[in-house]
Amino acid sequence: MTSFLILHIDDDVLVLNLVRSALSVDRSLKVLNCASAEEGLRLAIQNLPDLILCDVEMPGLRGTELLKRLQATSRTAEIPLIFITARNNTDDSAALMALGATAVITKPFRLPEILATICNHLPLHPGIQDSIPLAPTDYDMSRRLRDDAATLESLRLVLATDKQSAAACASLRQCAHKLAGAAGLYELLDVSDAASAVEQAVIAQEGGSGDVTAIDKALQHLLSSIECARGSTVSENSHGAGRAQPF
């Protein structure tokens, strides 16, 4: 049987593990995981995968810069690369395709969609033979929501007192980015969409085209979405004097 090596690059360990689990139903697919674009570049040159699945927004080297470096290296220039992105509008997807991406998967995404897209872009692959679950049931997503809500609340407190905190904005963007992917995999689409909106609001602020009011509005909506998804309050200490006021 022909085998295919897939290099998956994402800074969220949960997403890496869930996608590996999904792809394991196809015995012809072998998955190599890594958590940074820098490591991904090294592994791509070293292992020459048949296809790369890569997140766009990651700390350090972004997915788009990785693609450029792969294209500039003779050994890796022809490896197809599929991007995963929280920017789910047509213009952003078209821009990624124009850079040379093979395909673009937007969040919230489903595991069957990832598997189908990968198989469609592997020459000689016979196609999907088995069905896969939407997501494993042995992961405590409720705890993930609780922990992320606590993190988001603490960052909101920081930004309420220091609107220009670059460190808080970076942490908020990273938390929202990871939550958008994880929530989408578990069909929590409202949470995923709200997390993506927070990420985009922070990116706009960092780029000079947004403001902290938009971040706070998006963050309030995300916390409300998490609360609804959990079926309870966001956290035991989220009410009263300890809660950040809108900034």
Side-chain angles (χ1 to χ4, degrees), residues 61-76:
L61 193 68
R62 298 179 75 248
T64 49
E65 181 60 31
L66 169 65
L67 176 59
K68 293 177 183 177
R69 296 191 186 187
L70 291 170
Q71 292 169 333
T73 304
S74 59
R75 281 173 58 83
T76 58

Side-chain angles (χ1 to χ4, degrees), residues 175-232:
C175 180
H177 174 74
K178 291 184 177 182
L179 180 56
L185 288 172
Y186 279 86
E187 299 288 297
L188 300 174
L189 302 186
D190 289 343
V191 174
S192 182
D193 287 341
S196 293
V198 170
E199 181 185 3
Q200 296 310 309
V202 176
I203 290 174
Q205 164 70 3
E206 292 173 332
S209 61
D211 57 68
V212 292
T213 301
I215 295 175
D216 188 54
K217 183 178 179 180
L219 186 50
Q220 289 185 67
H221 179 60
L222 173 56
L223 289 168
S224 296
S225 297
I226 292 174
E227 185 173 346
C228 290
R230 292 184 61 212
S232 60

Side-chain angles (χ1 to χ4, degrees), residues 168-184:
C169 283
S171 295
L172 178 58
R173 172 166 47 79
Q174 184 175 9
C175 180
H177 174 74
K178 291 184 177 182
L179 180 56

